[in-house]
Amino acid sequence: MTYCVAMRLNAGLVFLSDSRTNAGLDQISTFRKMTIYEREGDRVLVMLSAGNLAITQAVKQVLSSETIDGGDGKPITIWTAKSMFDVARIVGSAVRKVHARDADALKKHGIEFNCSLIIGGQIQGETLRLFNVYAAGNFVEAGIDGVCYFQIGESKYGKPVIDRVVTPDTPLQEAAKCALISMDSTLKSNLSVGLPLDLLVYEADSLQATQLINIDESNAYFRMIRSSWGQRLRDVFDSIPDPSWDQAASSVQTHTGVQQSQAMNPINKIAGPDA
């Protein structure tokens, strides 16, 4: 399992991925989940992968030579595509090609075709775009209906903080901080996600990936997050009043005086088998 998150903001893009693919008492494997395709001044494409490692590696191999019809009879690749939409189409085509080749054989061995990808970046002359590509090769784009981020892999632990903090107007460095806190929450709760991490912060229209860092146990900033985030949560938790129960009344009342909703009837207690 793994955890990857990518954010599309007005100021740029943030990508973060862990590197654990297998976890057990005597086996922990590490493989990078982030792949960067860059032609400086022309395009920066970033792909994050989750799912079966053999499948995602096969997709990457196929992607290097995959083409689709450009509409004018000429094939296009990720290096010649004029739009990120076409890049997403090419990634989806690569996924379908691997599925057609391997899915039946995997099924015979009881293995599901499990593959999730995030592809995002910018091509010269086009705005920032971010896509989530599914195992069927279809995809959706961030920025539609207010959704400005995607998660793949073990996403549930790191989702709440992103939902509360990140909007399209969030500054890049603040979004990067939020992504790292999201990752820390996941690391805390799930053994199948682990260090080291890859973090890329891309500034809009720069057309180069310069803010890229690998984060391991020795990274001072991430160590600070890991040590302080839990304590800050505890401090906030302790600052919230405990509920108090008024045994003389039929409703639940907190210290702030807010009463239980009267929209539902009180719960009936079952007193015995004949009740």
Side-chain angles (χ1 to χ4, degrees):
M1 187 54 75
T2 190
Y3 175 48
C4 302
V5 58
M7 304 173 181
R8 182 197 179 281
L9 312 164
N10 295 335
L13 297 162
V14 174
F15 300 89
L16 179 66
S17 60
D18 85 314
S19 58
R20 183 165 293 180
T21 60
N22 203 1
L25 295 176
D26 59 355
Q27 183 180 13
I28 296 177
S29 301
T30 300
F31 290 91
R32 278 208 153 100
K33 313 298 177 56
M34 182 183 294
T35 305
I36 303 169
Y37 306 90
E38 178 186 27
R39 183 184 291 141
E40 191 172 326
D42 176 59
R43 68 193 59 214
V44 174
L45 315 175
V46 182
M47 187 166 72
L48 307 179
S49 60
N52 184 292
L53 180 62
I55 294 173
T56 58
Q57 286 188 342
V59 170
K60 290 178 185 178
Q61 290 296 317
V62 171
L63 184 60
S64 63
S65 59
E66 184 67 3
T67 64
I68 61 172
D69 185 359
D72 56 0
K74 297 180 180 179
I76 59 175
T77 71
I78 59 171
W79 296 108
T80 61
K82 300 299 183 183
S83 72
M84 285 299 303
F85 181 82
D86 282 341
V87 170
R89 289 177 57 211
I90 295 168
V91 174
S93 178
V95 171
R96 286 191 292 271
K97 184 169 289 186
V98 174
H99 182 277
R101 186 189 70 189
D102 297 340
D104 288 343
L106 291 171
K107 187 175 181 180
K108 291 178 181 178
H109 290 274
I111 301 174
E112 180 184 358
F113 189 88
N114 181 12
C115 172
S116 297
L117 302 165
I118 294 173
I119 183 75
Q122 187 173 25
I123 295 174
Q124 186 179 31
E126 190 185 36
T127 188
L128 303 161
R129 300 183 78 174
L130 183 68
F131 298 87
N132 189 357
V133 183
Y134 302 110
N138 57 329
F139 52 84
V140 294
E141 183 174 3
I144 308 300
D145 296 328
V147 178
C148 65
Y149 74 92
F150 288 130
Q151 298 170 290
I152 54 176
E154 195 60 69
S155 60
K156 56 184 174 291
Y157 304 104
K159 190 175 189 297
V161 65
I162 300 176
D163 285 339
R164 291 180 180 273
V165 171
V166 175
T167 71
D169 294 326
T170 302
L172 278 176
Q173 300 308 320
E174 187 175 315
K177 176 175 66 176
C178 185
L180 289 169
I181 291 173
S182 172
M183 179 65 75
D184 176 64
S185 299
T186 307
L187 291 170
K188 180 69 174 178
S189 300
N190 195 296
L191 181 63
S192 68
V193 179
L195 298 171
L197 314 175
D198 288 314
L199 172 67
L200 188 153
V201 179
Y202 172 78
E203 294 185 6
D205 302 323
S206 65
L207 294 175
Q208 55 181 340
T210 57
Q211 299 184 52
L212 174 63
I213 185 172
N214 178 252
I215 298 171
D216 59 17
E217 295 86 349
S218 65
N219 183 276
Y221 183 78
F222 193 65
R223 287 169 59 190
M224 179 274 295
I225 285 179
R226 302 207 75 179
S227 63
S228 64
W229 178 242
Q231 183 57 50
R232 298 293 178 88
L233 282 177
R234 184 69 197 186
D235 292 343
V236 173
F237 178 83
D238 289 341
S239 71
I240 298 174
D242 297 335
S244 62
W245 308 89
D246 185 355
Q247 299 297 334
S250 61
S251 63
V252 178
Q253 187 171 1
T254 68
H255 288 296
T256 57
V258 178
Q259 291 190 338
Q260 170 181 293
S261 171
Q262 300 299 316
M264 297 179 65
N265 294 325
I267 296 176
N268 292 324
K269 298 179 181 179
I270 300 175
D274 298 326

